[in-house]
Amino acid sequence: MSDDHVYLTLAEGHEDDARWAYGTGFEDPLHGVDTTVPEGVDAGELAAVCVALGDDALVSAQRLAEWTTRAPELEEEVALANIGLDLLGQARLLYSRAGQVDGTGRGEDAYAYFRDPEDFRNVRLAELPGGDFAFSIVRLLVLSSWRLAHFERLVAHPDPVLAAIAAKGVKELTYHRQYAAEWAVRLGDGTEESHRRVRRAMEQVAPYFGELFTACDVRDEVAAVLRQVTETAGLPMPVYRPLPGAGRGGDHTEHLAPLLAELQSVARAHPEATW
């Protein structure tokens, strides 16, 4: 299987996919969408789903932003920053929907800046330090594959707002996954050193696979993607060794608090500021 083949195969079904920044367009994905919570949809459960997916996106975006001025090439710096911006946009929409339906009326800033680490419900893989480039690529591959499979199901969600957010996200996540797969293959099939690093990265993310599938079982789809990429890259499939606890339940690593402290510092220092 050639490198080109794996990218084309991963893009199957998304031939009209857009690319970040330019391709995703600047249309309001919620224009004309009825924001009334449909009958039969539990508002509390809907808000919880939106907050969890929003937290995943916000924390992931912050980790990707750390590559600004540190990426190995300018082109990759721009690409990672734009992927982070896509995720930040998803977080804003999801937080806004949560605030509409949870009865608090909170805005996106309240969810992002004025909650403490124990209140976040992101998966722990998102909050781990960036490590070297290979680790960030492997993490992006896993998270984007999982999130894409999840969003493809949410497109049919009975809540039209969440469905519209998911539809927009599918276009973005398709590119995120392709970008990460391309780099994973390049590193795995590259030098002895790049192969060693990406193989180690696979081993580092493997313990966090388990908690990705508690809310939505897309295990087979994600495993198929990882198998395709690892086979092309000449890498072994990582061995799954689950860790106790789950970020969805409020269990987090020691890395989340300092990440949030930096993210929230300006907003908390000037809580009423506007510009």
Side-chain angles (χ1 to χ4, degrees):
M1 182 182 296
S2 69
D3 291 1
D4 287 342
H5 184 76
V6 70
Y7 310 144
L8 293 173
T9 303
L10 287 174
E12 285 180 357
H14 305 286
E15 289 79 3
D16 62 342
D17 70 308
R19 296 295 189 266
W20 41 266
Y22 304 106
T24 51
F26 299 97
E27 298 178 357
D28 180 0
L30 304 184
H31 178 70
V33 176
D34 185 358
T35 59
T36 306
V37 178
E39 187 176 350
V41 173
D42 185 286
E45 292 180 2
L46 174 61
V49 169
C50 290
V51 168
L53 292 172
D55 287 349
D56 292 338
L58 179 70
V59 172
S60 295
Q62 183 70 3
R63 283 300 185 210
L64 288 169
E66 293 173 348
W67 279 105
T68 302
T69 73
R70 296 179 53 238
E73 297 176 352
L74 180 58
E75 183 177 355
E76 307 316 321
E77 183 173 307
V78 173
L80 292 170
N82 276 288
I83 291 171
L85 286 174
D86 284 345
L87 293 170
L88 189 60
Q90 292 175 20
R92 294 184 63 185
L93 293 171
L94 289 161
Y95 287 152
S96 294
R97 184 53 171 163
Q100 287 176 341
V101 301
D102 72 355
T104 65
R106 286 182 287 180
E108 60 195 57
D109 285 356
Y111 285 101
Y113 296 134
F114 298 102
R115 286 184 299 146
D116 295 325
E118 59 270 23
D119 298 322
F120 273 70
R121 291 296 179 266
N122 59 279
V123 294
R124 289 175 294 179
L125 179 57
E127 69 198 39
L128 298 179
D132 66 18
F133 186 68
F135 177 83
S136 288
I137 288 297
V138 171
R139 171 168 54 186
L140 180 61
L141 173 65
V142 172
L143 288 179
S144 60
S145 299
W146 164 70
R147 193 171 177 87
L148 175 58
H150 197 1
F151 271 42
E152 286 177 328
R153 297 189 180 195
L154 289 176
V155 168
H157 195 278
D159 177 53
V161 177
L162 180 56
I165 296 171
K168 177 179 182 293
V170 163
K171 299 177 181 178
E172 299 166 342
L173 292 162
T174 299
Y175 170 70
H176 301 176
R177 189 182 66 173
Q178 277 189 257
Y179 174 86
E182 177 181 351
W183 263 109
V185 171
R186 186 179 299 179
L187 294 173
D189 196 29
T191 66
E192 181 177 339
E193 176 66 8
S194 70
H195 180 90
R196 183 188 68 79
R197 289 194 180 198
V198 75
R199 182 169 180 165
R200 182 181 63 185
M202 288 282 186
E203 296 170 350
Q204 290 172 327
V205 303
Y208 297 92
F209 285 176
E211 69 177 290
L212 299 180
F213 307 115
T214 54
C216 180
D217 187 8
V218 292
R219 183 189 304 269
D220 292 343
E221 296 164 59
V222 176
V225 171
L226 294 181
R227 189 176 303 109
Q228 188 176 6
V229 172
T230 53
E231 288 179 358
T232 306
L235 295 164
M237 274 288 284
V239 177
Y240 169 53
R241 298 187 181 87
L243 293 174
R248 288 286 191 260
D251 301 317
H252 293 289
T253 70
E254 69 274 20
H255 307 295
L256 181 62
L259 180 147
L260 292 177
E262 181 177 16
L263 172 70
Q264 300 172 335
S265 59
V266 174
R268 293 205 176 203
H270 308 282
E272 302 298 330
T274 58
W275 56 81

